[in-house]
Amino acid sequence: MNKQTEVGEIISVSGNVITVQLSDTIKSNMPVINGIVYRIGQIGSFLKIPLGYCYLYGIVTQIGASAIPEKLKMEGKDFSKLSNRQFLNITLIGEQSGRKFERGVSQSPTTGDKVHLVTIDDLETIYGGYNEANSITVGNISISESLNAKLDLDKLASRHCAILGSTGSGKSNAVGVLL
């Protein structure tokens, strides 16, 4: 795994919620890697955990003091003595084995496992897997403007589909793009 993408390590596992303490080596919450700016710890951003030949992916759901595990708070540990007191929680959403991404996880990480940024290549694996001939582009992936958001028309037409949203949210425009 690339040391350049490492952001911290797991300090607590509770089901599919993982608490991460960011590394002391993190100098910025927006590092530039290979000319691309990544955001560490932004709600909704992805992080990955390498486990052997597999990668677990999670979404950041909580940042800061509220992400410190209750057990550590109750022990009365003085976090001011730690050189890096940044914590975040991620919720596991899926795993990658080879070039295939699957929702859900079949294994859990353990404390001490390293946590890494999700790169553009990782996002292509997560959001890819569509048949190019049967897909249309409907926009961009919000966390990476360089990745197209695509819909597989065969899957869309052969399954149930609903366009939902509040008034003025763009439902009619979305249907127009699909048509």
Side-chain angles (χ1 to χ4, degrees):
M1 198 76 258
N2 185 349
K3 275 291 210 192
Q4 196 176 20
T5 62
E6 188 178 305
V7 296
E9 77 176 39
I10 296 172
I11 62 166
S12 175
V13 178
S14 178
N16 70 339
V17 177
I18 311 299
T19 302
V20 176
Q21 181 176 3
L22 294 181
S23 172
D24 295 339
T25 59
I26 300 297
K27 303 296 184 213
S28 167
N29 283 347
M30 293 182 66
V32 178
I33 301 171
N34 297 329
I36 299 171
V37 177
Y38 292 94
R39 292 189 175 133
I40 299 173
Q42 181 178 7
I43 298 289
S45 63
F46 287 97
L47 292 173
K48 72 178 174 182
I49 304 161
L51 291 180
Y53 295 110
C54 178
Y55 295 107
L56 302 181
Y57 289 91
I59 295 179
V60 176
T61 56
Q62 195 172 25
I63 304 164
S66 61
I68 299 171
E70 283 300 317
K71 184 176 179 187
L72 291 180
K73 287 180 193 174
M74 291 173 66
E75 288 175 358
K77 187 170 183 175
D78 184 5
F79 292 102
S80 65
K81 292 181 180 162
L82 296 174
S83 53
N84 189 341
R85 297 180 305 274
Q86 296 184 63
F87 296 87
L88 55 86
N89 285 339
I90 61 175
T91 300
L92 296 177
I93 57 152
E95 65 186 20
Q96 172 190 346
S97 183
R99 291 294 297 165
K100 185 171 174 140
F101 175 80
E102 296 279 336
R103 284 187 237 188
V105 292
S106 61
Q107 55 189 324
S108 287
T110 60
T111 57
D113 285 343
K114 301 302 180 192
V115 178
H116 293 260
L117 290 172
V118 169
T119 64
I120 295 295
D121 291 338
D122 296 320
L123 290 174
E124 286 177 358
T125 299
I126 292 169
Y127 289 109
Y130 50 84
N131 183 334
E132 190 67 46
N134 297 332
S135 299
I136 61 168
T137 300
V138 294
N140 296 333
I141 303 295
S142 64
I143 58 176
S144 177
E145 292 294 318
S146 64
L147 290 176
N148 290 329
K150 296 194 174 251
L151 284 177
D152 185 325
L153 294 176
D154 286 345
K155 289 181 181 177
L156 183 69
S158 65
R159 298 178 181 173
H160 295 285
C161 174
I163 307 294
L164 306 171
S166 59
T167 302
S169 63
K171 297 180 299 295
S172 297
N173 283 339
V175 170
V177 167
L178 291 175
L179 292 175

